Amino acid sequence: MSSTKIKKVFKSSFVSNSQTTGWLKNHAVIVQDNLISDILHQDKLPKDIDQTHKVINLGKVFLIPGLIETHAHMHCAGTKDTFKLATSENNDSLLIRAAKNLSTALYSGVTTLRDLGSKNEIAFSIKNSIESNIIKSPKVILSGTPITTTAGHCHFFATEADTKEEVLKAIRKQVKLGAEVIKIMASGGGFTPRSNRYKAQYTSEIIKAAVVETERLGIPIAAHAHATESIKQCVDAGVKHIIHSSWLSENSENGEDYDQKTTKEMAEKNIWVDPGGGVTLLRRENAPDYQMPNWTSTDVSGDVSEKDPEHDNRRTEILLDMYDKGVRFLGGLDVGMAHAHFDNTPATAWFTVENLGFSPWEGIQSLTNNNAEGLGINNQVGNIRVGLNADLISFEKDPSQNIRNLNNPNSVIQNGKILKFNHKLVSDD
Ligand SMILES: [Zn+2]
């Protein structure tokens, strides 16, 4: 019998409840195979439980569901020279880097990770290695190679597709390879010299055709969109997930060009937005001098967000207005971009609490049940609830008191297997 089939009991002083809104005290989580089979007070455990179950006392810790990262680039370094590395390393190096990055993410508490753009040769090879249990990794949901225009955002690891026919072919190719989500670059981006963040990369007709094709094939589509023009196209077409949603004006001197009517339509169409605020928070704290290069020849003011001290306040106002109008947020860090390391996922929750003013429990939810719902996997993960995967992480200090305590879990359990216990990696649970 493989070790995962042994029934286990995880005792913890504090266990998050079935909605991840509060603590159950001195409870035990019973795990059978890889699933949670019961949650009960420790006093109600049968006296001879250790005869039938492996009993693990996690101690005076705060146990929550494993974190879900919705936006990563597994072969990007997350260092300040990440662009140079991503454009110079060969596939062998990228593959090794991806394997290391994913294990870093896992031991930092991320048990599910959606990759929104990595070379097919890397992403699908890595998935095979995970399934063969060669490397330790969060469960991955892959887009593989993203779709962009020639010389467009992330062209150096994307499929360049300019016409409608080319985009449809690129989508079909990803499905054939096993992609579970399609990533399309609807505007230029800061990571790519001479792409233009302030303009759409595609026509509305092409974005619409891409959405229709993904619907036909039963696969969600996520779009990178900084420019207001590109956001409007994506909302009109019904793209499921809009990443960044920066509302950048075509004339960058004007800063943002926020449109409330488009926001209302987002809410009506149940479009989720990943505002990606965690990476901005990390750059401000860890690299205050960080500036995105002024890469775009048409870009007169460089990066709006880094040069304008009022930007943070305006961004917060816009995001809160979007939230008030009913837009749901996905919590994604854009892991792999500059100053977004693979153990930095909790920064999204910090941003949710500190910049948007949400409660610490809402911060915890932003990376657990909320992301599970946004990705449509809330019947598998996202809460500590009977029937869900036993993906559990624990902290010595209470993250519902201070969201910064959501960092560096002392224990990580994935599918009922202990991978880290009291800060030590466990190799043979
Ligand atoms: Zn990204």
Side-chain angles (χ1 to χ4, degrees), residues 71 73 116 183 244 334 337:
H71 184 183
H73 301 276
L116 279 187
K183 174 74 178 291
H244 305 301
D334 213 352
M337 295 295 107

Side-chain angles (χ1 to χ4, degrees), residues 209-224:
V211 170
V212 169
E213 186 65 358
T214 52
E215 283 172 352
R216 181 180 78 82
L217 295 167
I219 185 170
I221 183 165
H224 159 105

Side-chain angles (χ1 to χ4, degrees), residues 4 35 41 44 46 61 68 197 206 218-219 224 257 295-296 309-310 326 335 337 339 347 349 352 373 409:
T4 51
L35 300 178
H41 197 280
K44 300 224 172 94
V61 293
I68 301 165
R197 300 193 305 141
I206 292 177
I219 185 170
H224 159 105
D257 180 14
W295 272 333
T296 309
E310 285 301 310
V335 192
M337 295 295 107
H339 303 285
T352 303
E373 194 184 338

Side-chain angles (χ1 to χ4, degrees), residues 10 56-59 61-64 66 106-109 111 392-396 408-414 417-424 426:
F10 294 98
I56 301 107
N57 192 353
L58 296 168
V61 293
F62 298 85
L63 191 69
I64 66 166
L106 178 63
Y107 294 119
S108 77
T111 49
L392 311 164
I393 59 175
S394 65
F395 298 89
E396 289 136 320
N408 192 18
N410 70 336
S411 295
V412 174
I413 294 147
Q414 184 189 38
K417 284 194 94 171
I418 308 167
L419 302 176
K420 185 180 176 189
F421 186 66
N422 279 334
H423 293 291
K424 290 200 181 71
V426 177

Side-chain angles (χ1 to χ4, degrees), residues 15 32 36 53 82 123 144 153 155 171 192 204 210 230 265-267 269 272 279 282 311 349 354 377 396 404 409 415:
V15 176
Q32 182 159 5
I36 298 167
H53 293 66
T82 185
H153 183 47
H155 64 83
I171 291 171
T192 308
S204 298
S230 61
E265 201 179 331
M266 269 182 195
K269 291 185 170 176
W272 289 61
V279 68
L282 289 169
H311 172 268
E354 295 168 10
I377 52 173
E396 289 136 320
R404 294 277 174 151
N415 281 323

Side-chain angles (χ1 to χ4, degrees), residues 1 38 42 58 64 72 95 140 191 204 208 230 235 257 262 278 281 334 363 367 374 393:
M1 191 198 284
D38 205 355
Q42 289 173 22
L58 296 168
I64 66 166
L95 197 58
V140 289
F191 197 55
S204 298
K208 264 186 202 153
S230 61
V235 173
D257 180 14
T262 305
L281 179 151
D334 213 352
L367 292 172
I393 59 175

